[in-house]
Structure formats: structure tokens, C-alpha cells
């Protein structure tokens, strides 16, 4: 059976676009370089604002946990999304230290190239109530929301996550798609901003989506993203609308606004993060961009500037989930909790250059990389945190409707 049977055509097309050109296609720091671009008690958990978990998932009873007799956890993640030893590329220091501390071996696999493709790999097993062979996976918030909605993610045992409960930053604690973080914890945070090449713009700053869409000096030299929530989300913010409360009318108005810029040839293209090379070369003057890319781009090219619009930026997360029927649930929870120790979170953030969701990581990072600890794209200060906005969770019907309109807009 085709794992994508029954999906609305616009959603399927959006997934196919993302596989070829979405944020995940290239956006890890090491890939940019390769391209030449350059303990609290369980009883205190309620006080953290996170409700206690039950012992079963929304989709039915959990499978028998073999964590006690099988000291292993099978972890699927994106490529280039974990720290690697510079001298021995086969070593991942934070995983090695987990094994040393716990005796639990981590079978780490970089087999998530795209949210949608990975969903296709595991969907049939999850639907059938079978173990996927994976105990821990990392998925972007909208896909994590889908899996949780379908009842295919285990409810977490809060008693095994003391560091996570204590150290999860406030802005990540209760997304609308997983209230109270009953099923998930962030691996990293993602910010979508405006970037420009000041040499290409003649020193002129680009500070708003309105400027991207209408400034004659940028005509034909602007790109926006193939990720609907980023492009439309930032446009909504520029219009004074909250993406967390978006209505159909709001969405239609944002689509129309961007369409006008397409029709006038103000926008050159909609891209994944292939924008990075064109921005660095000056082939495009300004664009929407992901913060994880910009840290390295700016380090490699002093002409690259980024701007947090006055209206705010789009914030999203990649999230750790335990698939339903996972064989080593307790071990997976211990590994999730490991990454909420500030010193471990700091090691990870220093390598991947994405937001860390862990309170206390800034002080730990300052000891190993003071410059990184001062970078608001890695450690969000209060101003940065306050300006982040999330796109609300969509129903299946809304997803199909919104994606159809966006696909038409970008010519997909």
C-alpha cells in the first residue's frame, strides 16, 4: 500500500517540494561548510507548569518496554544535526558521554532527510500498531503535531525527565499542538528572519517584509521560502496579523499580497536554503532566511546582515518524539533528558548553531565558546525570545486548503 494514499493532493505536493528544497534539504551548519560557504524531584514537576503524564499513548496501550534488559536506544535524526569530534568524525561526544554515564548504547542513524519522506517510511507500521524500530525521532513541529494528533506518539513518563522539566525555556513549554509537552521536547529552535547582502544593496538596509515586497531597488533580487508557514507567517506579521490566530480571510489576504509581488517580478523565486549561495555571492540582494544558516554565512562573509523585523519573526522547533510501540521507551526518555543538562545542551548548540531550548545552556556555552554564547541566534536573549511567533496548528482540511493556495502562489 502506498503510504501517501488518501493525502490531499496539495499536501502531497507540498511534501514533495520540501523534500527537494525545504529547510531540511541543506540547512545544517556542516553542510554549508562543505559547500564552501564558508536533579529535581518528580514531585516538583507540577510546579514547572507541565502536567504529569499517563502511561499510555492516545492511540492505545504502550508496548512492553525492554529497556531494563536491553541497554540500547535507537535514535533517528537529521544529517549533520549533532556534535561531531573534529579529529574523529565517527565520534559524537554528547552521545558517547551518555553511554559512559548510563551504560546505554545509542544506535544513531541520520535517516531523516525530510519530514514527509520519513513519515512515509513509518506511517504503515504506526497505523498497524507496530514497532517502527526507532525509539526516538526528531521531527519539525507541524509533522510532530500530525503524529500526535493521530495518536502515534507515546505519552512521556515525566518522572524520567527531571532536567527537561526544570530546564525547558518558558517559550517552548506549551505549544498548541502538544499542550504541556506531554509527548515531545524540542531538540532545537528555528528562527526565520530577513537577510541581505549589504554590498549588493549598496549599503542599504532591508528591514521589513514590506520592503522585500515593494522596494524598487530590490526588484528581481528577492527570494522567499518554499515553506508556507515561514513565508506567509512573516507576511502576516508584517500585516499586523498573528499567525497563531490566523483566519482564512487573513491567510487569503497574505497570499494576495505576495502574489502581487510575484506578478510584478519583485520576487525572483521561492527557494529552500539554496538562497545561501546566491546571497553570499550577491546574486540576490535580500531574502527570507533561517537563522541556523545565517550564523555560518555571516561568519564566512562580512557583507551578510540579518534583521529581526520590528513585527517579529517566525519561530518553529524540531522535536524529539517517541513513536508508539517503541521497544526502549524508558531508555529514550533518559536520552531526551540528557540533552536538557545545560553542559550537554551547550555542546550541541555550539556545533549545530541553532537555538538551544535549554535554560542554563548560555552559562555553560560561555565557558567553551564565549562568542557563540553572545549570539542571539544561538542563545535567544529576552528581546529575541519576545519577538518569536508560531504558526498555529492546522486541521487536515485547513492544511489542504492553505497548501493548495500556497502551491498556486509559488508555481508548484
Amino acid at each position: 500500500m502506498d503510504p501517501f494514499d488518501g493525502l490531499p493532493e496539495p499536501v502531497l505536493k507540498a511534501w514533495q517540494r520540501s523534500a527537494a528544497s525545504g529547510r531540511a534539504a541543506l540547512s545544517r551548519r556542516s553542510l554549508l561548510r562543505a559547500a564552501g560557504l564558508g536533579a529535581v524531584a518528580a514531585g516538583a514537576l507540577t510546579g514547572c507548569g507541565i502536567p504529569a503524564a499517563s502511561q499510555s499513548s492516545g492511540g492505545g496501550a504502550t508496548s512492553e518496554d525492554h529497556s531494563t534488559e536491553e541497554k540500547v536506544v535507537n535514535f533517528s535524526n537529521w544529517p549533520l544535526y549533532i556534535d561531531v569530534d573534529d579529529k574523529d568524525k565517527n565520534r559524537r561526544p554528547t552521545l558517547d558521554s551518555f553511554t559512559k554515564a548510563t551504560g546505554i548504547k545509542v544506535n544513531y542513524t541520520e535517516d531523516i532527510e525530510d519530514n514527509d519522506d520519513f513519515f512515509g517510511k513509518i506511517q504503515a507500521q504506526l497505523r498497524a500498531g507496530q514497532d517502527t524500530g526507532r525509539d526516538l525521532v526528531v521531527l519539525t513541529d507541524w509533522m510532530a503535531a500530525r503524529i500526535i494528533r493521530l495518536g502515534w506518539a507515546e505519552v512521556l513518563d515525566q518522572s524520567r525527565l527531571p532536567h527537561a522539566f526544570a530546564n525547558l525555556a518558558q517559550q517552548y513549554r506549551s505549544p498548541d499542538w502538544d499542550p504541556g509537552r506531554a509527548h515531545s521536547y524540542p531538540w532545537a529552535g528555528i528562527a526565520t528572519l530577513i537577510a541581505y547582502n549589504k554590498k549588493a544593496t549598496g549599503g542599504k538596509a532591508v528591514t521589513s517584509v514590506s520592503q522585500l515586497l515593494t522596494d524598487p531597488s530590490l526588484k528581481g533580487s528577492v527570494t522567499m521560502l518554499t515553506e508556507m508557514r515561514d513565508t506567509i507567517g512573516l507576511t502576516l506579521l508584517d500585516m499586523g496579523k498573528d499567525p497563531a490566530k490566523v483566519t482564512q480571510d487573513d491567510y487569503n489576504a497574505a497570499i494576495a499580497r505576495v502574489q502581487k509581488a510575484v506578478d510584478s517580478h519583485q520576487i525572483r523565486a521561492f527557494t529552500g536554503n539554496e538562497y545561501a549561495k546566491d546571497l553570499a555571492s550577491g546574486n540576490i540582494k535580500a531574502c527570507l532566511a533561517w537563522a541556523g544558516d545565517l550564523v555560518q554565512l555571516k561568519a564566512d562573509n562580512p557583507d551578510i546582515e540579518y534583521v529581526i523585523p520590528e513585527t517579529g519573526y517566525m519561530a518553529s522547533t524540531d522535536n524529539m518524539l517517541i513513536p508508539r510501540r517503541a521497544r526502549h521507551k524508558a531508555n529514550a526518555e533518559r536520552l531526551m533528558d540528557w540533552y536538557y543538562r545545560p553542559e550537554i545542551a551547550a555542546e550541541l548548540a555550539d556545533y549545530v548553531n541553532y537555538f538551544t531550548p535549554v535554560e542554563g545552556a548560555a552559562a555553560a556555552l560561555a565557558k567553551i565558546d564565549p562568542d557563540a554564547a553572545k549570539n542571539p541566534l544561538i542563545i535567544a536573549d529576552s528581546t529575541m525570545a519576545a519577538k518569536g511567533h508560531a504558526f498555529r496548528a492546522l486541521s487536515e482540511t485547513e492544511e489542504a486548503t492553505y497548501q493548495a493556495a500556497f502551491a498556486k502562489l509559488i508555481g508548484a
Side-chain angles (χ1 to χ4, degrees):
M1 179 179 65
D2 188 335
F4 295 102
D5 279 350
L7 289 177
E9 185 67 15
V11 178
L12 179 58
K13 287 185 176 180
W15 286 5
Q16 292 168 340
R17 283 199 310 277
S18 180
S21 61
R23 176 184 57 78
L26 291 172
S27 63
R28 310 307 177 204
R29 181 184 72 166
S30 297
L31 194 53
L32 285 173
R33 283 183 167 175
L37 297 178
V40 296
L45 300 180
T46 303
C48 297
I50 303 175
S54 66
Q55 297 301 311
S56 63
S57 72
T62 59
S63 59
E64 183 181 351
D65 194 339
H66 297 270
S67 293
T68 301
E69 66 271 23
E70 297 177 8
K71 296 293 186 180
V72 66
V73 58
N74 299 309
F75 184 9
S76 286
N77 204 348
W78 302 80
L80 308 172
Y81 210 15
I82 199 168
D83 53 306
V84 175
D85 189 296
D86 289 336
K87 296 180 180 179
D88 182 353
K89 300 302 182 183
N90 293 317
R91 290 192 62 245
R92 300 178 177 92
T94 58
L95 290 182
D96 293 344
S97 60
F98 172 78
T99 297
K100 184 176 181 180
T102 66
I104 299 170
K105 177 184 176 182
V106 182
N107 294 322
Y108 186 79
T109 307
E110 296 180 331
D111 61 342
I112 306 179
E113 297 281 353
D114 175 78
N115 285 287
D116 324 305
D117 285 351
F118 188 74
F119 181 78
K121 291 179 183 178
I122 65 176
Q123 180 185 205
Q125 291 166 297
L126 289 171
R127 178 180 286 128
Q130 299 172 350
D131 175 21
T132 65
R134 300 166 176 89
D135 303 307
L136 191 63
V137 300
V138 175
L139 296 171
T140 306
D141 43 22
W142 57 270
M143 179 56 75
R146 180 180 178 85
I147 288 179
I148 291 168
R149 186 171 65 244
L150 291 167
W152 293 347
E154 294 285 354
V155 174
L156 301 174
D157 183 339
Q158 314 290 24
S159 68
R160 297 191 185 107
L161 293 155
H163 296 92
F165 290 130
N167 297 329
L168 177 62
Q170 188 62 42
Q171 67 264 35
Y172 299 109
R173 282 190 175 264
S174 194
D176 63 354
W177 49 271
D178 189 21
R181 289 288 180 184
H183 306 83
S184 68
Y185 272 90
W187 176 257
I190 304 157
T192 308
L193 312 170
I194 293 172
Y196 65 96
N197 184 314
K198 63 184 179 183
K199 183 177 181 180
T201 65
K204 184 177 184 178
V206 182
T207 61
S208 70
V209 171
S210 292
Q211 193 175 351
L212 288 175
L213 296 177
T214 63
D215 188 335
S217 71
L218 301 177
K219 187 172 182 176
S221 297
V222 170
T223 63
M224 299 185 92
L225 294 165
T226 56
E227 293 288 345
M228 179 269 285
R229 289 163 178 80
D230 291 331
T231 289
I232 301 303
L234 278 166
T235 302
L236 286 165
L237 288 172
D238 193 73
M239 296 165 61
K241 302 293 184 179
D242 186 352
K245 301 176 181 178
V246 60
T247 66
Q248 184 68 61
D249 287 345
D250 294 339
Y251 187 83
N252 291 344
I255 288 283
R257 190 172 183 218
V258 180
Q259 184 68 61
K260 186 175 180 179
V262 171
D263 294 342
S264 69
H265 304 291
Q266 178 78 8
I267 297 174
R268 177 186 293 187
F270 295 87
T271 75
N273 79 330
E274 61 266 32
Y275 67 76
K277 186 175 182 179
D278 284 336
L279 183 66
S281 69
N283 190 37
I284 60 171
K285 295 179 180 180
C287 63
L288 301 185
W290 292 299
D293 292 344
L294 293 174
V295 172
Q296 189 60 41
L297 282 171
K298 188 169 174 59
D300 293 341
N301 186 336
D303 292 326
I304 302 300
E305 297 288 351
Y306 71 85
V307 173
I308 304 164
E310 282 298 317
T311 53
Y313 65 91
M314 291 307 296
S316 57
T317 49
D318 284 335
N319 306 274
M320 294 179 282
L321 296 169
I322 300 176
R324 184 181 171 197
R325 306 290 183 182
R327 186 174 177 89
H328 310 105
K329 180 175 182 286
N331 290 345
E333 288 163 335
R334 291 185 70 182
L335 183 57
M336 292 174 74
D337 193 62
W338 183 253
Y339 281 96
Y340 276 80
R341 296 172 182 254
E343 68 277 13
I344 301 301
E347 285 189 65
L348 180 65
D350 192 43
Y351 193 86
V352 302
N353 287 167
Y354 280 85
F355 280 148
T356 174
V358 180
E359 292 283 5
L365 183 56
K367 296 177 181 179
I368 60 176
D369 190 341
D371 289 339
K374 296 175 185 177
N375 191 327
L377 300 188
I378 300 174
I379 302 293
D381 56 24
S382 58
T383 300
M384 186 76 177
K387 288 192 171 184
H389 296 266
F391 207 103
R392 71 171 173 84
L394 301 176
S395 68
E396 294 287 348
T397 299
E398 286 175 324
E399 181 79 22
T401 301
Y402 285 21
Q403 287 287 7
F406 189 69
K408 183 178 179 181
L409 170 69
I410 69 175

